[in-house]
Amino acid sequence: MFDYSVDANGIATIVWNQPDRAANVLNPATFAAWFEVANKAIADDAVKGVVVASAKKDFIAGGDLESLLAVDDILDVMERGHIVNAGMRRIEKGGKPFVAAINGAALGGGLEICLGLHNRIASDNAGIKLGLPEATLGLLPGAGGTQRLPRLIGIKPATPLILTGKAMSADEALKLGILDAIVPEAGLIDAAKAMILEGRARSVQPWDERGFTFPAGASDIKMDTTFFAPQIAALHGRTLDNQPGLRNILSCIYHGSKVDIDTALLIERRYFAATVVTPEAKNTIRTGFFSMQNARKLGMRPEGFETKTFTKVGVLGAGMMGAGIAYSTAAAGIDVVLLDRDMAAAEKGKAYSAKVMDGQIRKGRKTEAQKDALLARITPTDDYATLAGCDLVIEAVFEDRGLKADVTRKAEAVLGEGAIMSSNTSTLPITGLAEASRDATRFIGLHFFSPVDKMQLVEVIVGKETSPETLAHSLDYVAAIRKVPVVVNDSRGFYATRGFRSFVAEGLAMVSEGINPALVENAARQVGMPVGPLTVQDEVSQELGYKVRKQTMTDLGNAYEPDPGHDVIFTMVEKAGRKGRKHGGGFYNYAEDGTKSLWPGIEDYYPRADQQPELAECVKRIAYIQSLEAVHCMEEGVLTDPRDADIGSILGWGFPMHRGGAISQIHSVGLPTFIAECEEMAKKYGQRFEPPALLRQMAEKGESFYAA
Ligand code: NAI
């Protein structure tokens, strides 16, 4: 676990070197071993000071999340925390200088270990990242981070770092005073030793010095009103208090700043234990870390096919989607042929990439040279011959079956045998589109989301004939452009569109029952949705919702079943003339100054019910209907893995991470409870809340979607 040596000058070097793992990670066992070796150095009279280093690429990658996901005993967590705090305090007060020699990422508990040493230097290696990302996992730093960082650099700069979990470069950390120095990579250990030998290393932490005060002041009454009060208000406004981890971070910093370090660490320990066991933390760790990692590493990729490298990709249709796909592909270093009906349209599509890059340059994230290189990779054209040599072609022309068939044939006429043909259709089943292809086994759906450059998700849609090899290679492409894939079987609306629609339609159904639209919108926000369903519908436009339903009615004839939002959409368009934001207004009136207010006229069509439901009931209704749709998709075989359902819901339509995604929400509530609550709602709101057979079967057999 540790390589320990003492040199001729009496300097001990402790090197973290966890066996059988790519990175050093923290758990009760590694903490215990760390304290043991640190104590050995403190107790050895021959040792003057200690350098702490790592044999891995990273310094310490962070906490072992598997062990955190498994805990549910608060007292157990408190006990573990006590051991950590006591061990770290022994090092701080041991009288010998400790220097962290940071060679790579020090994240979460890794940075907290460094903060618990008296001195910190880092190498000039560009890969260095320092940060406390616990907040992004629904947690809070529990090894002293919320107390030592504010004491080291001040409450004001420390708070946003802990609340956002943002990682810093070594330069940023040096400027903030987290690092003492940055030194050349090759001389890192020697520089750390020199600090000790030359007497420049501290052996007492600032907070253990007599008369210590916080840099720029501790929390006094002025700070309470000018800093903490607005922070609390802003956090509440942003999260509606549905993320206990974030709230507890602020509490830790605030209360901890009023007391001495030992009491402060005890405060943090209590908040940490209370946070780890919350469903919000577990949901975020399960989905935000494990499922997301599985998707990014292509855990769902069929085995037995070599990874495919993409060098040239064709995009048919340079409209909104095609232009975005071209940008994301070129940004990954892949050459793109962007084809449209004429050169002007193709050029316009390419210009979109220039616009995105200009925005990035303004923010200082990209350079002119990077923009030029990216643009050089995109070849606009109206000539199919240019597609020759493409490994993959993505079709993104108008949503028209005949047109899609036509461009597919034209493209395939110039493509090599091994090339993959794909469609970005949002509604047309892939199996049907594949009929136009010369080889349906090499045809697949790649469903991107708008705006493509910002949205991380790609639904990879497997048609009836799509081969496992085509799926494997398509996943390689999605990974190459650094997006997150979920694998979906062919069906109308695939998965994300269905889930999204269930959310919006429930909001419309509530309006039709005479529920106050403000209550509907607020309930959705309370669930954690980015915006309410009525806001979304106004943006998408009632007009479009109307057209889509009309088309489906024509397609399906008598088999058409009106969805819960049908009535409101038809009323808004046909009777009220409220066709959406871009048509002058919908559920909201939009003022010239950019403000908006709910349109009172809705009451003329749907009179306000005398008895308004409780907010909590509305919240549950909006949250659960989305889970039910995900279960239907699993039941129908559209989805085969609950992790895909969770990630698709979060990245596809904004389902909140703290609920873990549409399926994790059920796991988190508990299957029997979820079923019982849905039965109650089915009585009140209709058949759509009836628990699907899959859930009942799982409950009977005592099964669950996840182990933890
Ligand atoms: P768009 O109307 O912005 O772009 C379509 C482009 O195809 C236009 O530039 C048009 O000139 C071009 N085009 C039409 N006929 C062509 C032909 N014969 N040869 C070459 N190019 C031709 O449409 P948008 O929004 O980009 O949608 C494209 C596809 O992506 C559709 O299938 C749509 O369902 C799907 N989609 C759309 C999403 C969205 O949010 N708009 C999301 C996901 C998928």
Side-chain angles (χ1 to χ4, degrees):
M1 180 73 222
F2 293 97
D3 306 328
Y4 181 82
S5 60
V6 183
D7 70 12
N9 295 318
I11 297 181
T13 305
I14 301 175
V15 183
W16 283 71
N17 191 7
Q18 198 161 346
D20 311 323
R21 285 192 89 136
N24 297 313
V25 294
L26 296 165
N27 58 34
T30 54
F31 264 121
W34 157 237
F35 294 137
E36 195 186 316
V37 68
N39 288 338
K40 180 163 124 185
I42 293 171
D44 184 347
D45 288 340
V47 171
K48 290 199 196 85
V50 183
V51 174
V52 182
S54 159
K56 311 275 186 189
K57 184 169 130 287
D58 290 331
F59 186 74
I60 299 173
D64 184 343
L65 291 168
E66 224 150 306
S67 76
L68 285 180
L69 189 56
V71 299
D72 45 24
D73 181 353
I74 283 206
L75 291 178
D76 187 32
V77 184
M78 284 294 288
E79 181 55 32
R80 284 194 205 181
H82 171 69
I83 294 169
V84 170
N85 280 344
M88 291 178 73
R89 290 297 284 146
R90 263 199 305 278
I91 296 170
E92 287 187 317
K93 296 196 288 184
K96 290 185 182 173
F98 275 67
V99 183
I102 305 169
N103 64 313
L107 296 170
L111 180 57
E112 291 179 288
I113 293 264
C114 297
L115 294 171
L117 306 181
H118 313 94
N119 310 273
R120 288 157 298 277
I121 64 173
S123 83
D124 57 2
N125 151 13
I128 293 225
K129 273 191 305 183
L130 304 173
L132 297 170
E134 287 85 346
T136 63
L137 296 166
L139 296 171
L140 55 88
T146 67
Q147 302 310 320
R148 290 192 176 90
L149 193 61
R151 281 171 172 75
L152 187 66
I153 66 171
I155 292 170
K156 281 187 188 171
T159 301
L161 281 175
I162 304 173
L163 276 179
T164 61
K166 185 179 158 282
M168 292 162 277
S169 66
D171 283 336
E172 286 169 302
L174 182 69
K175 259 186 228 137
L176 281 166
I178 296 171
L179 291 176
D180 298 306
I182 299 176
V183 301
E185 194 167 4
L188 178 63
I189 304 286
D190 288 343
K193 287 185 172 179
M195 261 183 107
I196 298 171
L197 282 176
E198 292 162 17
R200 286 180 286 117
R202 291 179 301 270
S203 57
V204 178
Q205 291 282 32
W207 40 90
D208 287 322
E209 304 261 14
R210 198 179 284 272
F212 166 75
T213 53
F214 278 70
S219 168
D220 53 17
I221 190 76
K222 190 157 157 267
M223 183 98 161
D224 292 356
T225 50
T226 59
F227 181 73
F228 280 105
Q231 286 281 331
I232 293 165
L235 183 66
H236 189 85
R238 187 156 63 80
T239 66
L240 298 178
D241 211 15
N242 57 23
Q243 294 177 51
L246 295 178
R247 186 184 56 216
N248 290 348
I249 284 173
L250 272 184
S251 299
C252 277
I253 300 174
Y254 175 75
H255 293 297
S257 70
K258 310 270 187 200
V259 295
D260 65 276
I261 183 81
D262 289 300
T263 315
L265 291 170
L266 177 62
I267 290 172
E268 181 193 81
R269 181 147 66 93
R270 287 189 179 146
Y271 277 112
F272 180 76
T275 308
V276 173
V277 296
T278 58
E280 289 84 352
K282 293 196 183 295
N283 285 334
T284 310
I285 294 172
R286 185 188 316 109
T287 303
F289 187 79
F290 289 108
S291 299
M292 203 64 89
Q293 192 180 50
N294 177 65
R296 284 194 186 277
K297 289 190 173 164
L298 306 185
M300 69 299 253
R301 187 182 185 275
E303 283 173 17
F305 305 100
E306 270 184 36
T307 302
K308 188 172 170 72
T309 320
F310 290 82
T311 51
K312 187 176 174 189
V313 168
V315 179
L316 310 182
M320 185 168 89
M321 297 304 289
I325 296 167
Y327 165 79
S328 294
T329 306
I334 300 170
D335 287 337
V336 179
V337 176
L338 183 55
L339 182 145
D340 209 299
R341 289 175 290 190
D342 50 53
M343 276 310 282
E347 291 282 7
K348 185 164 167 244
K350 177 172 173 173
Y352 174 77
S353 285
K355 202 179 107 196
V356 175
M357 287 302 274
D358 285 339
Q360 297 277 330
I361 292 168
R362 268 197 303 278
K363 288 183 191 142
R365 293 191 193 140
K366 290 276 153 47
T367 62
E368 286 290 341
Q370 285 170 312
K371 173 184 163 190
D372 293 344
L374 185 140
L375 291 179
R377 275 181 228 123
I378 303 178
T379 308
T381 185
D382 57 1
D383 179 4
Y384 281 84
T386 323
L387 294 169
C390 281
D391 311 299
L392 163 73
V393 168
I394 303 164
E395 168 280 302
V397 299
F398 299 139
E399 192 75 341
D400 177 312
R401 207 185 303 269
L403 177 63
K404 286 184 186 295
D406 181 46
V407 300
T408 297
R409 280 189 212 104
K410 284 183 179 148
E412 285 185 343
V414 299
L415 290 180
E417 280 301 318
I420 297 172
M421 185 72 212
S422 70
S423 174
N424 176 49
T425 177
S426 46
T427 56
L428 304 169
I430 290 301
T431 307
L433 293 180
E435 284 167 17
S437 169
R438 64 181 174 190
D439 181 1
T441 67
R442 303 200 65 77
F443 195 96
I444 199 162
L446 291 175
H447 184 208
F448 289 79
F449 293 78
S450 174
V452 180
D453 56 295
K454 296 214 173 69
M455 297 289 281
Q456 288 180 284
L457 186 71
V458 179
E459 274 186 315
V460 179
I461 296 139
V462 182
K464 215 164 136 208
E465 308 286 335
T466 308
S467 72
E469 184 182 32
T470 302
L471 171 61
H473 289 163
S474 301
L475 289 170
D476 293 340
Y477 163 72
V478 177
I481 62 168
R482 294 184 281 274
K483 299 227 179 263
V484 182
V486 296
V487 177
V488 179
N489 287 315
D490 209 3
S491 110
R492 202 173 246 276
F494 313 125
Y495 168 56
T497 307
R498 281 176 64 171
F500 170 69
R501 281 196 194 136
S502 73
F503 157 62
V504 178
E506 199 58 33
L508 302 181
M510 291 164 89
V511 169
S512 73
E513 292 165 21
I515 298 178
N516 186 343
L519 181 54
V520 175
E521 293 285 82
N522 286 335
R525 293 273 292 110
Q526 187 71 51
V527 168
M529 305 303 297
V531 288
L534 309 182
T535 302
V536 175
Q537 186 64 62
D538 269 12
E539 294 296 330
V540 174
S541 92
Q542 279 75 345
E543 165 100 337
L544 181 66
Y546 178 74
K547 277 194 184 153
V548 169
R549 284 175 177 84
K550 278 275 202 190
Q551 183 62 47
T552 316
M553 286 165 86
T554 314
D555 288 355
L556 299 182
N558 287 340
Y560 176 77
E561 283 178 34
D563 67 281
H566 177 104
D567 190 67
V568 175
I569 290 292
F570 275 63
T571 301
M572 289 293 271
V573 172
E574 290 182 347
K575 296 189 189 144
R578 305 283 300 184
K579 295 185 189 168
R581 178 174 191 160
K582 63 177 180 237
H583 300 282
F587 292 111
Y588 287 88
N589 285 322
Y590 298 89
E592 298 245 316
D593 64 3
T595 59
K596 63 177 189 175
S597 54
L598 280 161
W599 173 58
I602 193 77
E603 277 201 71
D604 297 342
Y605 300 93
Y606 299 105
R608 194 69 47 89
D610 294 336
Q611 188 84 35
Q612 292 289 313
E614 295 283 334
L615 175 66
E617 174 74 5
C618 299
V619 166
K620 205 192 310 174
R621 190 172 165 180
I622 291 173
Y624 282 21
I625 196 70
Q626 301 176 62
S627 290
L628 287 167
E629 190 64 27
V631 174
H632 286 301
C633 286
M634 294 209 65
E635 206 166 36
E636 293 162 27
V638 174
L639 292 169
T640 52
D641 189 324
R643 293 174 293 187
D644 282 338
D646 281 340
I647 288 175
S649 65
I650 289 169
L651 298 183
W653 77 88
F655 193 85
M657 179 66 93
H658 66 270
R659 289 178 186 261
I663 291 289
S664 266
Q665 171 169 258
I666 304 175
H667 178 72
S668 173
V669 170
L671 206 47
T673 310
F674 185 82
I675 290 175
E677 291 185 319
C678 285
E679 282 168 348
E680 279 307 306
M681 287 199 274
K683 282 185 214 145
K684 287 189 256 178
Y685 313 124
Q687 182 66 24
R688 64 185 178 281
F689 281 94
E690 198 55 52
L694 174 67
L695 289 188
R696 291 192 189 280
Q697 286 157 9
M698 286 179 68
E700 271 165 29
K701 291 189 213 152
E703 292 174 354
S704 63
F705 287 106
Y706 290 101

